[in-house]
Amino acid sequence: MHPYQKDASDLLSRLRKIEGQARGVQKMIQDDRYCVDILAQISSMKAALSKVELALLESHTRGCVAEAIRGDGGEEKINELMRVIRAGMK
Amino acid sequence: MHPYQKDASDLLSRLRKIEGQARGVQKMIQDDRYCVDILAQISSMKAALSKVELALLESHTRGCVAEAIRGDGGEEKINELMRVIRAGMK
Amino acid sequence: MHPYQKDASDLLSRLRKIEGQARGVQKMIQDDRYCVDILAQISSMKAALSKVELALLESHTRGCVAEAIRGDGGEEKINELMRVIRAGMK
Amino acid sequence: MHPYQKDASDLLSRLRKIEGQARGVQKMIQDDRYCVDILAQISSMKAALSKVELALLESHTRGCVAEAIRGDGGEEKINELMRVIRAGMK
Protein backbone atom coordinates (compact mmCIF):
# COMPACT_ATOMS: atom_id res chain seq x y z
CA MET A 1 0.00 0.00 0.00
CA HIS A 2 1.24 3.47 -0.87
CA PRO A 3 1.87 5.89 1.98
CA TYR A 4 -0.89 8.32 0.88
CA GLN A 5 -3.50 5.69 1.81
CA LYS A 6 -3.46 6.98 5.40
CA ASP A 7 -4.92 10.26 4.00
CA ALA A 8 -7.13 8.56 1.42
CA SER A 9 -10.50 9.66 2.81
CA ASP A 10 -9.35 13.28 3.05
CA LEU A 11 -7.93 13.19 -0.51
CA LEU A 12 -11.09 11.58 -1.88
CA SER A 13 -13.33 14.15 -0.25
CA ARG A 14 -11.21 16.99 -1.67
CA LEU A 15 -11.38 15.43 -5.14
CA ARG A 16 -15.14 14.90 -4.94
CA LYS A 17 -15.45 18.60 -4.14
CA ILE A 18 -13.24 19.51 -7.12
CA GLU A 19 -15.35 17.23 -9.35
CA GLY A 20 -18.46 19.04 -8.09
CA GLN A 21 -16.87 22.42 -8.84
CA ALA A 22 -16.02 21.28 -12.38
CA ARG A 23 -19.72 20.48 -12.82
CA GLY A 24 -20.70 23.76 -11.17
CA VAL A 25 -18.54 25.78 -13.56
CA GLN A 26 -20.21 24.07 -16.54
CA LYS A 27 -23.57 25.11 -15.10
CA MET A 28 -22.31 28.69 -14.64
CA ILE A 29 -21.33 28.82 -18.32
CA GLN A 30 -24.71 27.41 -19.40
CA ASP A 31 -26.41 30.02 -17.20
CA ASP A 32 -24.26 32.77 -18.78
CA ARG A 33 -22.92 33.84 -15.39
CA TYR A 34 -20.48 36.73 -15.01
CA CYS A 35 -16.94 35.87 -16.24
CA VAL A 36 -15.23 37.08 -13.07
CA ASP A 37 -17.42 34.88 -10.86
CA ILE A 38 -16.49 31.87 -13.00
CA LEU A 39 -12.81 32.83 -12.78
CA ALA A 40 -13.08 32.89 -8.97
CA GLN A 41 -14.40 29.30 -9.02
CA ILE A 42 -11.55 28.18 -11.27
CA SER A 43 -9.02 29.88 -9.01
CA SER A 44 -10.53 28.00 -6.04
CA MET A 45 -10.31 24.70 -7.97
CA LYS A 46 -6.62 25.30 -8.73
CA ALA A 47 -5.90 26.05 -5.08
CA ALA A 48 -7.75 22.87 -4.05
CA LEU A 49 -5.75 20.81 -6.58
CA SER A 50 -2.51 22.30 -5.25
CA LYS A 51 -3.45 21.11 -1.75
CA VAL A 52 -4.04 17.56 -3.01
CA GLU A 53 -0.76 17.79 -4.97
CA LEU A 54 1.25 18.89 -1.92
CA ALA A 55 -0.33 16.22 0.31
CA LEU A 56 0.57 13.49 -2.20
CA LEU A 57 4.04 14.91 -2.68
CA GLU A 58 4.63 15.00 1.06
CA SER A 59 3.55 11.42 1.70
CA HIS A 60 5.51 10.31 -1.38
CA THR A 61 8.67 11.98 -0.03
CA ARG A 62 8.23 10.65 3.52
CA GLY A 63 7.34 7.19 2.21
CA CYS A 64 8.64 6.00 -1.16
CA VAL A 65 11.55 8.44 -1.51
CA ALA A 66 12.86 8.08 2.06
CA GLU A 67 12.59 4.30 1.79
CA ALA A 68 14.54 4.26 -1.48
CA ILE A 69 17.24 6.49 0.07
CA ARG A 70 17.59 4.07 2.97
CA GLY A 71 17.62 1.17 0.51
CA ASP A 72 19.58 1.64 -2.72
CA GLY A 73 20.59 5.28 -2.08
CA GLY A 74 17.51 6.67 -3.79
CA GLU A 75 19.26 8.07 -6.89
CA GLU A 76 16.38 7.16 -9.18
CA LYS A 77 13.58 8.19 -6.81
CA ILE A 78 15.21 11.59 -6.23
CA ASN A 79 15.52 12.13 -10.00
CA GLU A 80 11.83 11.37 -10.34
CA LEU A 81 10.93 13.61 -7.38
CA MET A 82 12.87 16.50 -8.90
CA ARG A 83 10.98 16.11 -12.20
CA VAL A 84 7.69 16.32 -10.29
CA ILE A 85 8.82 19.39 -8.33
CA ARG A 86 10.14 21.04 -11.50
CA ALA A 87 6.75 20.47 -13.20
CA GLY A 88 4.84 21.77 -10.18
CA MET A 89 6.94 24.92 -9.81
CA LYS A 90 6.99 26.18 -13.36
CA MET B 1 -24.90 37.39 -23.24
CA HIS B 2 -21.34 37.37 -21.99
CA PRO B 3 -18.55 37.38 -24.58
CA TYR B 4 -17.27 33.90 -23.59
CA GLN B 5 -20.48 32.38 -24.97
CA LYS B 6 -18.89 32.26 -28.44
CA ASP B 7 -16.41 29.71 -26.96
CA ALA B 8 -18.98 27.98 -24.74
CA SER B 9 -18.87 24.56 -26.40
CA ASP B 10 -15.07 24.47 -26.25
CA LEU B 11 -15.07 25.58 -22.59
CA LEU B 12 -17.74 23.03 -21.67
CA SER B 13 -15.86 20.20 -23.33
CA ARG B 14 -12.65 21.16 -21.49
CA LEU B 15 -14.53 21.26 -18.18
CA ARG B 16 -16.20 17.91 -18.80
CA LYS B 17 -12.74 16.46 -19.35
CA ILE B 18 -11.48 18.03 -16.11
CA GLU B 19 -14.53 16.63 -14.29
CA GLY B 20 -13.69 13.20 -15.70
CA GLN B 21 -10.08 13.54 -14.58
CA ALA B 22 -11.24 14.44 -11.04
CA ARG B 23 -13.23 11.20 -11.05
CA GLY B 24 -10.27 9.31 -12.54
CA VAL B 25 -7.93 10.51 -9.80
CA GLN B 26 -10.38 9.28 -7.14
CA LYS B 27 -10.32 5.88 -8.83
CA MET B 28 -6.50 5.94 -8.91
CA ILE B 29 -6.44 6.54 -5.15
CA GLN B 30 -8.95 3.75 -4.52
CA ASP B 31 -6.82 1.45 -6.68
CA ASP B 32 -3.70 2.46 -4.69
CA ARG B 33 -1.92 3.62 -7.85
CA TYR B 34 1.63 4.99 -7.75
CA CYS B 35 1.83 8.52 -6.23
CA VAL B 36 3.83 9.98 -9.13
CA ASP B 37 1.28 8.81 -11.71
CA ILE B 38 -1.47 10.49 -9.70
CA LEU B 39 0.62 13.67 -9.48
CA ALA B 40 0.99 13.66 -13.28
CA GLN B 41 -2.82 13.59 -13.64
CA ILE B 42 -3.19 16.48 -11.18
CA SER B 43 -0.57 18.47 -13.04
CA SER B 44 -2.50 17.88 -16.28
CA MET B 45 -5.75 19.04 -14.59
CA LYS B 46 -4.09 22.26 -13.41
CA ALA B 47 -2.77 22.95 -16.90
CA ALA B 48 -6.25 22.33 -18.34
CA LEU B 49 -7.81 24.70 -15.79
CA SER B 50 -5.24 27.36 -16.67
CA LYS B 51 -6.30 27.12 -20.31
CA VAL B 52 -9.96 27.64 -19.38
CA GLU B 53 -8.90 30.51 -17.10
CA LEU B 54 -6.92 32.26 -19.83
CA ALA B 55 -9.70 31.79 -22.40
CA LEU B 56 -12.24 33.35 -20.01
CA LEU B 57 -9.83 36.13 -19.07
CA GLU B 58 -9.20 36.93 -22.72
CA SER B 59 -12.85 37.12 -23.73
CA HIS B 60 -13.58 39.12 -20.56
CA THR B 61 -10.86 41.64 -21.45
CA ARG B 62 -11.91 41.92 -25.11
CA GLY B 63 -15.57 42.10 -24.15
CA CYS B 64 -16.61 43.48 -20.78
CA VAL B 65 -13.43 45.40 -19.96
CA ALA B 66 -12.99 47.01 -23.38
CA GLU B 67 -16.67 47.98 -23.42
CA ALA B 68 -16.39 49.59 -19.99
CA ILE B 69 -13.29 51.50 -21.08
CA ARG B 70 -15.16 52.85 -24.10
CA GLY B 71 -18.14 53.64 -21.87
CA ASP B 72 -17.39 55.08 -18.42
CA GLY B 73 -13.58 54.90 -18.70
CA GLY B 74 -13.42 51.42 -17.22
CA GLU B 75 -11.85 52.40 -13.87
CA GLU B 76 -13.87 49.81 -11.94
CA LYS B 77 -13.54 47.01 -14.52
CA ILE B 78 -9.78 47.47 -14.67
CA ASN B 79 -9.55 47.33 -10.86
CA GLU B 80 -11.48 44.07 -10.95
CA LEU B 81 -9.34 42.69 -13.81
CA MET B 82 -6.16 43.48 -11.89
CA ARG B 83 -7.48 41.59 -8.84
CA VAL B 84 -8.14 38.56 -11.06
CA ILE B 85 -4.68 38.75 -12.66
CA ARG B 86 -3.03 39.24 -9.26
CA ALA B 87 -4.81 36.11 -7.95
CA GLY B 88 -3.88 34.10 -11.04
CA MET B 89 -0.22 35.08 -10.96
CA LYS B 90 0.62 34.47 -7.32
CA MET C 1 6.15 59.29 -21.29
CA HIS C 2 4.88 55.85 -20.34
CA PRO C 3 2.22 55.63 -17.62
CA TYR C 4 4.51 53.73 -15.19
CA GLN C 5 6.65 56.86 -14.83
CA LYS C 6 4.33 58.10 -12.08
CA ASP C 7 5.55 55.08 -10.00
CA ALA C 8 9.16 55.27 -11.25
CA SER C 9 10.81 56.05 -7.91
CA ASP C 10 8.96 53.19 -6.19
CA LEU C 11 9.84 50.76 -9.01
CA LEU C 12 13.48 51.84 -9.01
CA SER C 13 13.78 51.41 -5.26
CA ARG C 14 12.26 47.90 -5.47
CA LEU C 15 14.68 46.98 -8.26
CA ARG C 16 17.69 48.36 -6.37
CA LYS C 17 16.67 46.11 -3.46
CA ILE C 18 16.38 43.10 -5.79
CA GLU C 19 19.80 43.92 -7.25
CA GLY C 20 21.19 44.01 -3.70
CA GLN C 21 19.58 40.66 -2.92
CA ALA C 22 21.15 39.14 -6.07
CA ARG C 23 24.53 40.31 -4.73
CA GLY C 24 23.65 39.05 -1.24
CA VAL C 25 22.81 35.57 -2.52
CA GLN C 26 26.19 35.40 -4.31
CA LYS C 27 27.86 36.26 -0.97
CA MET C 28 25.79 33.54 0.78
CA ILE C 29 27.03 30.97 -1.73
CA GLN C 30 30.65 32.11 -1.32
CA ASP C 31 30.21 31.88 2.47
CA ASP C 32 28.76 28.34 2.09
CA ARG C 33 25.54 29.32 3.88
CA TYR C 34 22.74 26.83 4.50
CA CYS C 35 20.79 25.93 1.32
CA VAL C 36 17.37 26.60 2.85
CA ASP C 37 18.38 30.11 3.94
CA ILE C 38 19.51 30.85 0.38
CA LEU C 39 16.23 29.45 -0.97
CA ALA C 40 14.30 31.81 1.35
CA GLN C 41 16.18 34.78 -0.16
CA ILE C 42 15.41 33.61 -3.69
CA SER C 43 11.75 33.18 -2.82
CA SER C 44 11.72 36.75 -1.48
CA MET C 45 13.34 38.01 -4.71
CA LYS C 46 10.70 36.27 -6.83
CA ALA C 47 7.91 37.79 -4.75
CA ALA C 48 9.52 41.23 -5.10
CA LEU C 49 9.79 40.79 -8.90
CA SER C 50 6.12 39.78 -9.05
CA LYS C 51 5.19 43.03 -7.32
CA VAL C 52 7.15 45.05 -9.89
CA GLU C 53 5.57 42.95 -12.66
CA LEU C 54 2.02 43.56 -11.41
CA ALA C 55 2.63 47.29 -10.94
CA LEU C 56 3.93 47.61 -14.51
CA LEU C 57 1.10 45.47 -15.85
CA GLU C 58 -1.49 47.59 -14.06
CA SER C 59 -0.18 50.92 -15.31
CA HIS C 60 0.23 49.43 -18.80
CA THR C 61 -3.42 48.29 -18.80
CA ARG C 62 -4.76 51.58 -17.41
CA GLY C 63 -2.55 53.59 -19.75
CA CYS C 64 -1.44 52.13 -23.07
CA VAL C 65 -4.11 49.42 -23.40
CA ALA C 66 -7.06 51.59 -22.38
CA GLU C 67 -5.86 54.34 -24.71
CA ALA C 68 -5.60 51.92 -27.64
CA ILE C 69 -9.10 50.59 -26.91
CA ARG C 70 -10.47 54.13 -27.00
CA GLY C 71 -8.47 54.79 -30.17
CA ASP C 72 -8.34 52.00 -32.76
CA GLY C 73 -10.30 49.42 -30.72
CA GLY C 74 -7.17 48.00 -29.09
CA GLU C 75 -7.15 44.66 -30.93
CA GLU C 76 -3.36 44.56 -31.14
CA LYS C 77 -2.69 45.87 -27.63
CA ILE C 78 -5.08 43.30 -26.11
CA ASN C 79 -3.33 40.50 -28.05
CA GLU C 80 -0.03 41.69 -26.63
CA LEU C 81 -1.47 42.01 -23.10
CA MET C 82 -2.82 38.46 -23.25
CA ARG C 83 0.62 37.16 -24.26
CA VAL C 84 2.13 38.92 -21.23
CA ILE C 85 -0.53 37.54 -18.87
CA ARG C 86 -0.17 34.04 -20.35
CA ALA C 87 3.60 34.17 -19.76
CA GLY C 88 3.14 35.48 -16.21
CA MET C 89 0.56 32.87 -15.26
CA LYS C 90 2.22 29.73 -16.49
CA MET D 1 30.75 22.25 2.84
CA HIS D 2 27.19 22.26 1.51
CA PRO D 3 26.41 20.03 -1.48
CA TYR D 4 25.60 22.97 -3.80
CA GLN D 5 29.28 23.98 -3.70
CA LYS D 6 29.98 21.59 -6.59
CA ASP D 7 27.73 23.88 -8.74
CA ALA D 8 28.94 27.12 -7.12
CA SER D 9 30.53 28.68 -10.21
CA ASP D 10 27.44 27.99 -12.31
CA LEU D 11 25.13 29.40 -9.60
CA LEU D 12 27.32 32.48 -9.16
CA SER D 13 27.38 33.17 -12.88
CA ARG D 14 23.58 32.88 -13.07
CA LEU D 15 23.20 35.25 -10.12
CA ARG D 16 25.64 37.77 -11.60
CA LYS D 17 23.50 37.76 -14.75
CA ILE D 18 20.32 38.30 -12.68
CA GLU D 19 22.04 41.15 -10.82
CA GLY D 20 22.94 42.68 -14.20
CA GLN D 21 19.35 42.32 -15.38
CA ALA D 22 18.10 44.06 -12.22
CA ARG D 23 20.40 46.96 -13.11
CA GLY D 24 19.29 46.78 -16.75
CA VAL D 25 15.62 47.06 -15.81
CA GLN D 26 16.36 50.18 -13.72
CA LYS D 27 18.03 51.69 -16.79
CA MET D 28 15.00 50.76 -18.93
CA ILE D 29 12.72 52.60 -16.51
CA GLN D 30 14.99 55.66 -16.47
CA ASP D 31 15.01 55.59 -20.29
CA ASP D 32 11.18 55.36 -20.31
CA ARG D 33 11.26 52.15 -22.35
CA TYR D 34 8.07 50.39 -23.44
CA CYS D 35 6.27 48.59 -20.53
CA VAL D 36 5.97 45.27 -22.36
CA ASP D 37 9.71 45.15 -23.08
CA ILE D 38 10.42 45.71 -19.38
CA LEU D 39 7.91 42.98 -18.47
CA ALA D 40 9.75 40.56 -20.79
CA GLN D 41 12.99 41.24 -18.90
CA ILE D 42 11.29 40.65 -15.55
CA SER D 43 9.81 37.42 -16.83
CA SER D 44 13.29 36.31 -17.89
CA MET D 45 14.66 37.19 -14.43
CA LYS D 46 11.97 35.11 -12.73
CA ALA D 47 12.72 32.13 -14.97
CA ALA D 48 16.44 32.50 -14.20
CA LEU D 49 15.72 32.63 -10.45
CA SER D 50 13.59 29.49 -10.74
CA LYS D 51 16.53 27.69 -12.31
CA VAL D 52 18.80 28.68 -9.42
CA GLU D 53 16.04 27.68 -6.98
CA LEU D 54 15.61 24.23 -8.54
CA ALA D 55 19.37 23.61 -8.67
CA LEU D 56 19.72 24.47 -4.97
CA LEU D 57 16.65 22.41 -4.08
CA GLU D 58 18.01 19.42 -5.96
CA SER D 59 21.45 19.46 -4.37
CA HIS D 60 19.81 20.08 -0.98
CA THR D 61 17.57 17.02 -1.43
CA ARG D 62 20.39 14.78 -2.71
CA GLY D 63 22.76 16.04 -0.01
CA CYS D 64 21.40 17.31 3.30
CA VAL D 65 17.95 15.67 3.15
CA ALA D 66 19.16 12.24 2.00
CA GLU D 67 21.91 12.30 4.63
CA ALA D 68 19.42 13.13 7.39
CA ILE D 69 17.11 10.32 6.20
CA ARG D 70 20.01 7.87 6.41
CA GLY D 71 20.96 9.29 9.81
CA ASP D 72 18.09 10.15 12.20
CA GLY D 73 15.26 9.29 9.78
CA GLY D 74 15.08 12.82 8.36
CA GLU D 75 11.74 13.79 9.97
CA GLU D 76 12.84 17.37 10.57
CA LYS D 77 14.64 17.84 7.22
CA ILE D 78 11.61 16.53 5.31
CA ASN D 79 9.33 18.96 7.21
CA GLU D 80 11.66 21.78 6.23
CA LEU D 81 11.85 20.58 2.61
CA MET D 82 8.06 20.47 2.35
CA ARG D 83 7.83 24.07 3.62
CA VAL D 84 10.28 25.13 0.89
CA ILE D 85 8.36 23.24 -1.81
CA ARG D 86 5.03 24.62 -0.57
CA ALA D 87 6.42 28.18 -0.75
CA GLY D 88 7.87 27.57 -4.23
CA MET D 89 4.66 26.08 -5.62
CA LYS D 90 2.12 28.60 -4.42
Side-chain angles (χ1 to χ4, degrees), chain C:
Chain C
M1 249 181 40
H2 287 103
Y4 64 76
Q5 288 299 343
K6 68 176 193 318
D7 310 314
S9 76
D10 175 59
L11 294 170
L12 288 170
S13 107
R14 286 176 190 277
L15 285 158
R16 262 193 305 274
K17 199 183 151 201
I18 293 165
E19 184 194 336
Q21 285 179 300
R23 249 191 318 270
V25 172
Q26 292 170 63
K27 180 90 171 56
M28 291 177 92
I29 287 175
Q30 285 159 340
D31 294 350
D32 193 36
R33 294 277 299 277
Y34 182 45
C35 343
V36 172
D37 294 338
I38 303 179
L39 284 165
Q41 272 302 300
I42 290 174
S43 180
S44 148
M45 289 172 74
K46 284 171 78 177
L49 277 170
S50 291
K51 280 195 185 152
V52 173
E53 192 176 27
L54 284 163
L56 283 167
L57 198 55
E58 178 158 4
S59 63
H60 177 61
T61 305
R62 284 189 201 288
C64 313
V65 179
E67 199 175 314
I69 288 171
R70 277 183 221 106
D72 68 357
E75 187 72 13
E76 219 178 300
K77 283 287 180 218
I78 293 179
N79 288 344
E80 189 185 55
L81 178 68
M82 291 314 301
R83 279 197 299 274
V84 172
I85 292 173
R86 195 166 286 123
M89 277 196 177
K90 77 163 183 210

